[in-house]
Amino acid sequence: MNAVRNSEIGKKVAQLYRCIVKRQVQQAAILKEELDVRFKELLRDDKMVAYYNLVCFRYQMMLEQLQEPHQLEALVNCLRSDFLLNYYYYFFSGQYAFYKERFTEAVDLYEQAEKELAHIQDEMEHGEFYYRAGVCYYKIDRFDRAMPYLDKARRFFALDPMYVEKELQAKMILGNLLSETG
């Protein structure tokens, strides 16, 4: 019974993350509130706790209620064998560094996340990664690196009609890159 409850909560956390990626702020807030209540029922599964805390950190970034991610590092360090948690840790930390305009640090973190990306099944997650890494390379004038990342993002986003806006954003930045490079 407890394993079923943990599985249900895990699915809700994944649903919350999807809402965050799609920037569905109201739906994300509803799910977050529900999860905050239900999380107290959760069996103390370290991986589930880490997953929930990482997604909550990403939720805070979406709302721009940011705090330093150092508390997450200790949580994830004990779970090094979990590719998804490692990926999320580096990817979200990279997003945080980008937000703080520490672009070189963000690139380093994205490169760490990319090492785990092969283990991630979700195509839209690949699109999101390539988009964010591409934008980061664009910000530091590494157009040679930005272009293939943004093109990959565009192709992934084109697979799902729910990501039309993201696809268009990737195309616009690619257009800027082509304009800037002649």
Side-chain angles (χ1 to χ4, degrees):
M1 183 67 174
N2 287 330
V4 170
R5 188 178 314 144
N6 283 359
S7 175
E8 289 172 6
I9 292 173
K11 287 177 185 174
K12 285 282 188 187
V13 174
Q15 188 179 358
L16 171 61
Y17 181 62
R18 284 280 128 242
C19 288
I20 292 167
V21 169
K22 293 177 184 176
R23 297 214 41 91
Q24 296 172 332
V25 178
Q26 286 184 312
Q27 184 64 28
I30 292 166
L31 280 167
K32 172 80 169 68
E33 192 173 305
E34 178 186 337
L35 279 165
D36 285 344
V37 171
R38 292 197 63 196
F39 197 70
K40 294 174 182 132
E41 305 168 8
L42 187 65
L43 259 184
R44 287 294 149 201
D45 175 343
D46 287 344
K47 287 185 179 185
M48 183 62 72
V49 170
Y51 179 47
Y52 180 67
N53 285 327
L54 285 164
V55 172
C56 286
F57 178 73
R58 180 63 180 88
Y59 177 77
Q60 290 171 339
M61 281 195 296
M62 178 185 70
L63 298 178
E64 298 182 4
Q65 299 172 343
L66 300 172
Q67 54 189 339
E68 289 290 334
H70 301 299
Q71 75 277 11
L72 296 177
E73 190 169 356
L75 186 64
V76 176
N77 276 339
C78 67
L79 301 168
R80 284 286 176 220
S81 64
D82 191 295
F83 298 113
L84 180 67
L85 294 177
N86 285 324
Y87 167 76
Y88 280 151
Y89 171 73
Y90 289 117
F91 185 46
F92 296 166
S93 295
Q95 288 178 44
Y96 179 80
F98 181 90
Y99 179 81
K100 291 293 192 176
E101 297 183 0
R102 299 187 311 240
F103 302 120
T104 304
E105 179 184 341
V107 163
D108 291 342
L109 291 161
Y110 287 147
E111 286 174 356
Q112 291 296 316
E114 190 169 17
K115 292 176 184 175
E116 309 295 344
L117 192 59
H119 302 284
I120 307 301
Q121 302 291 322
D122 185 351
E123 290 178 330
M124 293 308 110
E125 187 64 33
H126 283 249
E128 184 71 11
F129 170 80
Y130 288 122
Y131 175 78
R132 295 213 178 250
V135 169
C136 194
Y137 282 119
Y138 177 71
K139 283 287 203 181
I140 60 171
D141 297 330
R142 290 289 315 274
F143 301 153
D144 59 318
R145 299 278 298 181
M147 229 177 271
Y149 277 81
L150 289 164
D151 190 51
K152 284 181 185 179
R154 179 196 57 76
R155 284 186 274 134
F156 276 111
F157 292 144
L159 298 172
D160 187 333
M162 295 294 292
Y163 288 85
V164 169
E165 187 176 321
K166 287 275 196 176
E167 180 188 3
L168 291 173
Q169 288 172 345
K171 283 181 175 180
M172 286 182 2
I173 296 169
L174 278 168
N176 287 343
L177 278 167
L178 291 171
S179 175
E180 289 184 39
T181 60

